[in-house]
Amino acid sequence: MKRILTGIKPTGYAHIGNYFGAIRPAIELSKNPDFDCYYFIADYHALTTLKTKEEFEVYSKNIACAWLACGLDPNKVVFYRQSDIKEDFELNWILCNVTPKGLMNRAHAYKACVEKNQEAGFDVDNNVNMGLYNYPILMAADILLFETNLVPVGLDQKQHIEIARDIANYFNNKYKKVFVLPEEYIQKEVQTLVGLDGRKMSKSYGNTIKLFGTEKELQKSINRIVTDSKLPGEPKDLDCTLNKIYKLFATESQQAEFDKKLAGGLGWGDAKKELFEIANNYIKPMREKYDYYMSHFEEVEKILHDGAEKARVVARKVLSDVRKAIGVEK
Ligand code: TRP
């Protein structure tokens, strides 16, 4: 049995890129009986970028309800909130003391901020808080605390898993072999999702389609998809952004039919209507569940609370081994 663990950072409303790129594949993995899955809301990681209390509350709630609405089964997955696991933050501090500062200087997210500042002629650490700087250490704690074997993540997170492994090795070599060495699990079939403008779908580009917006919001997003200026009657490029998004929702036969229409000159306006239909039909049953959880949030709280209780059984054991290894506990 392999332990699979991943964290979801609540820094915005869940969008369809999150759904097809992370939520759906993670839920699929949880159906494999060889995997013991721990999925959590990395709310304390989101703290490094969120600006207000309201954002923190709204996005955490959205993400929790979204995962349940998309089919996460709390009987199959230990589903919890990072901030409920006090052991994580104690481990974080201990790990700080085996982590070379240079390792953090090389972390991509921090380096990107430094480079941006340099280009703009600002101080290198302008706008960098210690949460961002130490981010990879807390992430290592998230992972190592649960004897994780595999971490399903996107390519952008690969370095963080390597760092977690490095930190585990530093600790294991300095004290004793307490930590399991985690590996990244990058699912090949999960493609990069394109956004409304054809670039990668990402909150930072403002080109996302909200997963659980209203029908009207969905329609509005679809209307914003960038197309070329071909007129109705002219054959359309099947490799266009609109068709790439259509493909996410379509069965093979639906896709074949739509390809034919596009090649046959379907106008962009009609194509957008068809995309709305198929996307809305796909999302609708999940949206109903989402609305249910949003208005019965006490049920979600209970699920997260029970998840944290289960998770802390493992966390307490590992943290106790760590505390013994460093000499703080007999
Ligand atoms: N850094 C991850 C992201 O931005 C979120 C995360 C936090 C995470 N802790 C984790 C992912 C532990 C996997 C394992 O997507």
Side-chain angles (χ1 to χ4, degrees), residues 5-9 40 42 45 82 135 139 142-143 151-153 156-157 160-161:
L5 174 143
T6 197
I8 309 110
K9 204 164 54 162
F40 69 97
H45 269 122
Q82 180 187 35
Y135 187 111
M139 185 156 159
D142 296 336
I143 295 168
V151 187
V153 281
D156 63 320
Q157 295 294 314
H160 283 148
I161 316 303

Side-chain angles (χ1 to χ4, degrees), residues 265-301:
L266 183 71
W268 289 125
D270 288 335
K272 286 182 175 179
K273 274 192 202 126
E274 294 211 18
L275 172 56
F276 170 77
E277 282 307 315
I278 198 168
N280 193 46
N281 284 338
Y282 189 105
I283 294 172
K284 206 173 193 169
M286 299 194 293
R287 189 194 289 126
E288 279 162 13
K289 282 199 214 158
Y290 175 80
D291 291 341
Y292 174 85
Y293 283 120
M294 285 296 284
S295 57
H296 295 79
F297 196 66
E298 65 292 345
E299 289 181 28
V300 180
E301 288 281 5

Side-chain angles (χ1 to χ4, degrees), residues 167-182:
I167 294 177
N169 275 319
Y170 286 127
F171 186 95
N172 286 352
N173 293 333
K174 180 170 179 190
Y175 296 102
K176 80 186 260 226
K177 199 178 166 308
V178 173
F179 293 125
V180 172
L181 300 183

